Amino acid sequence: MGRRRQGESEDGRGEATEQVASESRTDRLRIRAAWMYFVEQMTQNEIADVLGVGRVTIVRMLADARARNEVKISIESELSEIVRLERALEKTFGLQQALVAPLSAPDADPLQAISAKTGSFLSDTMKSGMRVGVGWGRTLFSSLPFISAKSLTDFKVISLLGGVGVVRRFNPAEFAWRFAQIFQGDGYLIPTPAVVDSVETKIALVERCGLQEVFEMANVLDAVLLSVGGIASATTFSRGGFLKEADREALLARGAVGDLLFHFFDRNGDLVDHPVNSHVMSVDVDRLRKAPIRILTSGGAEKTEALLGAMTLIAPTILITDEESARRMLEAVSGN
């Protein structure tokens, strides 16, 4: 008897799930095209450029939207508010694409919604031959069950942060390894603590302990997958166990609003003056900004300031968040 692939069942439920996901993506793309054409008054050629499809496809999608009665005087669809938020984020922050996950209620925990949206996006975006640098955190770890497993050739995943010595569920090495396994790719880790005691120790580990190759791989990444941590509470620190409460208080006093790979930054996206930023065993932000695809996925009321700072710090090309976080970000920028 032939071996079934992971996620495939005898009654065809795997194929049915893939079909539903495909239809959902098609619906969403059609509504985006309709919004741009009828509300933003963009030309069909302009829409084709933004969505990365041909003009003939845009013509077909617009005709389909009209045939489905999704376009009258306004766009009649439950997706229209989500599309409005996505387009507002794209214009405000110069994103190539924003993906906004709907919530069941304004006060709902956005983790699963963002994780599901992230998993779906990664399933479509990861291709053979890619070099992908990855961060860590609850959001990224929770996205793993939503990623469709497939075999990609010459696919490499590079962990961008040390921390393998700490055996916890939300561990940089654990996420990188599992992510690589989903696509049957190769995983590269930084086998050091996340934070060391001095710059000298960091230099010695990189130059004398065989880590130079891993760090050099960060110069030729096709994509980076990152999340931000908030600093208003001790969650980031207690979860990882890498820093002490005294460090958090000192960072807060210097204006830190969050971290990206333990690079702590302020509301303007500038790194704060604190030793941890030079002691962290992670790829520096300047290298990350060279990747042509920079995916940032995060959300929650406690991360609004961190997300705003990260827009400047890492300049993501793709932002994945929830609808309430999207509203808070836009309101903060507009001053409302």
Side-chain angles (χ1 to χ4, degrees), residues 80-297:
S80 62
E81 172 61 11
I82 297 297
V83 173
R84 185 193 71 79
L85 289 171
E86 291 172 342
R87 291 295 293 151
L89 288 170
E90 290 165 2
K91 289 184 174 182
T92 301
F93 298 108
L95 302 162
Q96 289 182 8
Q97 186 176 10
L99 297 167
V100 174
L103 298 177
S104 58
D107 59 349
D109 184 351
L111 177 65
Q112 285 300 104
I114 298 173
S115 299
K117 183 72 72 174
T118 301
S120 176
F121 176 79
L122 294 173
S123 298
D124 294 336
T125 306
M126 297 298 102
K127 308 295 182 184
S128 293
M130 290 186 73
R131 308 291 186 270
V132 184
V134 300
W136 75 304
R138 292 176 64 235
T139 303
L140 292 180
F141 196 90
S142 298
S143 72
L144 292 172
F146 299 100
I147 302 174
S148 300
K150 58 183 175 181
S151 179
L152 299 178
T153 59
D154 191 27
F155 185 79
K156 291 181 170 58
V157 177
I158 299 91
S159 178
L160 300 172
L161 176 67
V164 296
V166 181
V167 183
R168 288 182 171 87
R169 182 185 179 195
F170 303 116
N171 186 291
E174 179 71 10
F175 174 75
W177 180 246
R178 293 201 184 191
F179 187 69
Q181 283 185 314
I182 287 175
F183 299 109
Q184 298 184 28
D186 298 323
Y188 297 82
L189 308 179
I190 300 177
T192 70
V195 180
V196 294
D197 60 350
S198 67
V199 175
E200 291 74 20
T201 299
K202 178 176 180 177
I203 293 173
L205 286 170
V206 173
E207 295 182 353
R208 303 175 191 171
C209 298
L211 299 181
Q212 191 68 41
E213 180 183 357
V214 177
F215 277 84
E216 288 178 352
M217 291 180 72
N219 292 325
V220 291
L221 295 173
D222 299 295
V224 291
L225 173 60
L226 305 163
S227 183
V228 295
I231 198 173
S233 69
T235 303
T236 298
F237 300 83
S238 61
R239 182 181 74 228
F242 299 112
L243 298 175
K244 300 177 181 178
E245 174 62 15
D247 294 310
R248 186 184 76 87
E249 293 176 357
L251 286 161
L252 273 173
R254 288 167 171 78
V257 296
D259 81 283
L260 183 138
L261 299 178
F262 277 2
H263 294 289
F264 289 86
F265 56 89
D266 62 20
R267 170 66 168 73
N268 297 321
D270 297 321
L271 297 180
V272 300
D273 182 17
H274 190 278
V276 67
N277 282 336
S278 56
H279 295 175
V280 61
M281 292 298 299
S282 70
V283 175
D284 60 82
V285 176
D286 288 340
R287 294 196 198 192
L288 301 179
R289 286 173 63 101
K290 294 178 182 178
I293 302 173
R294 300 180 297 278
I295 307 162
L296 181 65
T297 173

Side-chain angles (χ1 to χ4, degrees), residues 62-83:
L62 293 175
D64 195 15
R66 286 191 291 266
R68 292 168 177 259
N69 290 321
E70 291 170 336
V71 177
K72 296 179 183 177
I73 295 176
S74 60
I75 298 177
E76 299 282 339
S77 171
E78 62 182 10
L79 297 178
S80 62
E81 172 61 11
I82 297 297
V83 173

